Amino acid sequence: MELAYYADYAVRLVNSEEPARNKDSLTSVEAVRDLFGNSQQAARRATDADVTRFRSVRARLRAIFEAADTGDETLAVDLLNSLLLEFPVSPQISGHETRKSDGRPDWHMHLAEHPSNVTAGYAATASMGLAFHVTEHGPERLGLCQAAPCRNAYLDTSTNRSRRYCSDRCATRANVAAYRARKRLEAERSASTGRTADSSQEATAPTDR
């Protein structure tokens, strides 16, 4: 498993809530377990207490994305370092998968956490994933969707640092909204120009004697 993959844990947790829409999908143990994806062994240990703990970690992760989105890289890194200190991991070389070509172990880096509970394990993985992403790409590559009212978190891995939206759907929605806004402005300007021309003609028209 590539280390960059772990950053998706952070995005997944942050996006379980949409504050602007007053939506929160993190309301049950099942929702917590869903966040683990294929890591079902860890997910099975989740309890009701993890719902509240996960929400607390989620708020701290969102704060990192918000700081990065506003250009405050130092604050973003400080907040991330705080999570890394609280939820440490141990990098290990793993070979639990084999290569199809020759059947030999597919050696790769793995993050082995030693959590006291499921939340601590998830937080450690998500924080380390973000740390790898930040050091490789820069804090400015952590973003929040610009298609209001979405504000979902995303990781910008584009070559020209141009990503502004969390998904193609939001990008399309924002482009359509911008197009309609331009059309409305053009129509308003056209109507205003027409009214100005009419007023000018009335002002210069000859008066009947």
Side-chain angles (χ1 to χ4, degrees), residues 82-160:
S82 178
L83 283 172
L84 290 169
L85 288 172
E86 186 174 345
F87 303 106
V89 296
S90 302
Q92 294 181 352
I93 299 175
S94 175
H96 59 82
E97 296 177 356
T98 57
R99 295 184 301 211
K100 294 181 179 180
S101 58
D102 54 16
R104 298 176 64 185
D106 183 14
W107 300 112
H108 57 278
M109 290 296 295
H110 181 78
L111 300 182
E113 71 273 4
H114 308 285
S116 56
N117 54 65
V118 169
T119 303
Y122 193 99
T125 301
S127 300
M128 185 59 72
L130 276 188
F132 280 113
H133 187 86
V134 165
T135 52
E136 182 176 355
H137 302 289
E140 72 276 8
R141 293 301 193 99
L142 307 182
L144 292 174
C145 187
Q146 299 301 302
C150 179
R151 303 301 282 168
N152 272 351
Y154 64 82
L155 303 171
D156 184 4
T157 56
S158 62
T159 56
N160 57 354

Side-chain angles (χ1 to χ4, degrees), residues 171-191:
T172 299
R173 183 163 56 84
N175 289 334
V176 169
Y179 173 79
R180 290 175 176 172
R182 287 196 302 270
K183 287 299 182 181
R184 283 196 300 270
L185 181 59
E186 291 173 2
E188 290 171 0
R189 286 176 176 172
S190 178

Side-chain angles (χ1 to χ4, degrees):
M1 182 183 294
E2 296 181 1
L3 294 176
Y5 170 82
Y6 291 112
D8 288 334
Y9 276 57
V11 173
R12 207 178 303 161
L13 178 53
V14 171
N15 292 346
S16 67
E17 180 185 28
E18 297 181 70
R21 292 184 172 126
N22 198 28
K23 292 182 178 180
D24 189 348
S25 63
L26 192 55
T27 58
S28 65
V29 177
E30 289 71 23
V32 169
R33 290 170 178 163
D34 287 343
L35 290 170
F36 283 86
N38 295 327
S39 302
Q40 293 304 309
Q41 184 174 354
R44 282 194 292 270
R45 296 191 293 110
T47 67
D48 288 331
D50 287 299
V51 176
T52 301
R53 288 193 288 253
F54 261 71
R55 286 180 170 180
S56 176
V57 173
R58 179 179 64 187
R60 296 172 67 181
L61 287 171
R62 176 169 280 278
I64 294 171
F65 279 88
E66 289 175 343
D69 189 63
T70 59
D72 195 339
E73 295 187 5
T74 300
L75 176 58
V77 170
D78 286 345
L79 293 173
L80 181 51
N81 276 334
S82 178
L83 283 172
L84 290 169
L85 288 172
E86 186 174 345
F87 303 106
V89 296
S90 302
Q92 294 181 352
I93 299 175
S94 175
H96 59 82
E97 296 177 356
T98 57
R99 295 184 301 211
K100 294 181 179 180
S101 58
D102 54 16
R104 298 176 64 185
D106 183 14
W107 300 112
H108 57 278
M109 290 296 295
H110 181 78
L111 300 182
E113 71 273 4
H114 308 285
S116 56
N117 54 65
V118 169
T119 303
Y122 193 99
T125 301
S127 300
M128 185 59 72
L130 276 188
F132 280 113
H133 187 86
V134 165
T135 52
E136 182 176 355
H137 302 289
E140 72 276 8
R141 293 301 193 99
L142 307 182
L144 292 174
C145 187
Q146 299 301 302
C150 179
R151 303 301 282 168
N152 272 351
Y154 64 82
L155 303 171
D156 184 4
T157 56
S158 62
T159 56
N160 57 354
R161 300 171 183 262
S162 61
R163 186 169 180 179
R164 295 293 180 270
Y165 307 104
C166 68
S167 64
D168 290 339
R169 179 181 179 182
C170 276
T172 299
R173 183 163 56 84
N175 289 334
V176 169
Y179 173 79
R180 290 175 176 172
R182 287 196 302 270
K183 287 299 182 181
R184 283 196 300 270
L185 181 59
E186 291 173 2
E188 290 171 0
R189 286 176 176 172
S190 178
S192 177
T193 300
R195 287 194 297 270
T196 302
D198 290 342
S199 298
S200 178
Q201 290 176 1
E202 291 174 1
T204 58
T207 304
D208 292 335
R209 299 284 184 180

